Amino acid sequence: TTQCPLGISPQGYLGLTKAAKYEEAYELIWKKNPLPSVCGRICHHPCETGCKRGILVDEPIKIREIKRYLSEKVDYVPPKYVQLYEERIAIIGGGPAGLTAGHYLASAGYDVTIYEAADEAGGMLIRGIPEFRLDRKIVRDEVQKLVNAGLKIELNRKLNQHSIEEMKVKYDAVIIATGTPNSKELHIEGWRNA
């Protein structure tokens, strides 16, 4: 089994990287993970914990760093999504979950539109992770690849109960991937004074 939360087995793209087939390696990652440049920088890399080389030989392969290397080496232009089905799907939320769901569904042949309340997609990748840890340009480039492939993203679309009811009529399915942009308050002694 793989330790990757996305279920990506690294053997394929590691082998392609070793054979200097960098674009093919990147494409193999992108099919399952539309944000490989982001993951190459901020993933907590549980795959390395489960890496058999680290368990049986010496140290784990630096899988996250290889993703980053590929994302810096390859100027990948993803193929256009091909619509195979007439069903239309709306996704509420343009963060990592919404973008990934949109990518999977569009890759499978569905007509997908993402509705994002903010003025740009990316969710907490843009608004939560400090820029010294994740350059905003990297996130914007990843989102632009998805748009170039044909994923539709409507920005500044804050929805309410009425507009969601309208979506249920207009679309065959509605996926809610809004994330949690508001922090929780700690109701402990002195919490208002901090």
Side-chain angles (χ1 to χ4, degrees):
T1 64
T2 178
Q3 300 285 339
C4 176
L6 289 173
I8 299 173
S9 175
Q11 286 85 353
Y13 66 83
L14 291 175
L16 289 167
T17 303
K18 184 177 179 182
K21 295 183 178 182
Y22 304 120
E23 186 156 334
E24 292 93 332
Y26 187 92
E27 182 176 38
L28 193 59
I29 297 167
W30 192 81
K31 285 179 180 177
K32 284 198 171 188
N33 177 2
L35 306 168
S37 298
V38 169
C39 287
R41 288 163 174 80
I42 63 165
C43 178
H44 65 289
H45 51 84
C47 53
E48 293 179 23
T49 304
C51 177
K52 297 286 189 244
R53 182 180 176 108
I55 296 168
L56 301 173
V57 182
D58 48 16
E59 63 183 46
I61 295 170
K62 303 294 184 193
I63 297 169
R64 181 180 69 185
E65 281 77 11
I66 290 171
K67 274 194 198 98
R68 182 172 181 164
Y69 171 77
L70 289 169
S71 71
E72 291 173 354
K73 185 163 187 67
V74 175
D75 187 19
Y76 182 69
V77 178
K80 295 280 186 189
Y81 297 119
V82 177
Q83 186 175 337
L84 303 173
Y85 306 107
E86 60 184 46
E87 288 87 358
R88 300 175 68 217
I89 300 170
I91 298 174
I92 302 170
L99 293 169
T100 302
H103 170 67
Y104 286 170
L105 290 164
S107 295
Y110 292 96
D111 179 8
V112 181
T113 304
I114 295 176
Y115 292 87
E116 170 57 47
D119 60 354
E120 67 180 323
M124 295 309 282
L125 297 175
I126 292 283
R127 292 178 283 288
I129 297 173
E131 188 150 11
F132 71 85
R133 187 71 176 96
L134 180 63
D135 189 332
R136 303 294 180 258
K137 182 181 181 326
I138 290 163
V139 179
R140 291 177 182 122
D141 288 348
E142 297 278 67
V143 171
Q144 191 59 50
K145 282 181 187 170
L146 293 167
V147 170
N148 292 347
L151 190 61
K152 293 177 280 206
I153 303 175
E154 294 198 18
L155 303 172
N156 298 307
R157 293 295 305 268
K158 193 162 188 164
L159 304 174
N160 56 36
Q161 186 62 39
H162 178 70
S163 53
I164 291 173
E165 290 302 320
E166 288 176 352
M167 276 186 179
K168 288 181 185 178
V169 174
K170 183 177 176 183
Y171 291 94
D172 296 288
V174 177
I175 296 172
I176 299 175
T178 54
T180 54
N182 300 325
S183 61
K184 286 186 161 191
E185 295 176 337
L186 292 175
H187 296 280
I188 57 177
E189 185 178 334
W191 70 282
R192 289 209 184 262
N193 299 330

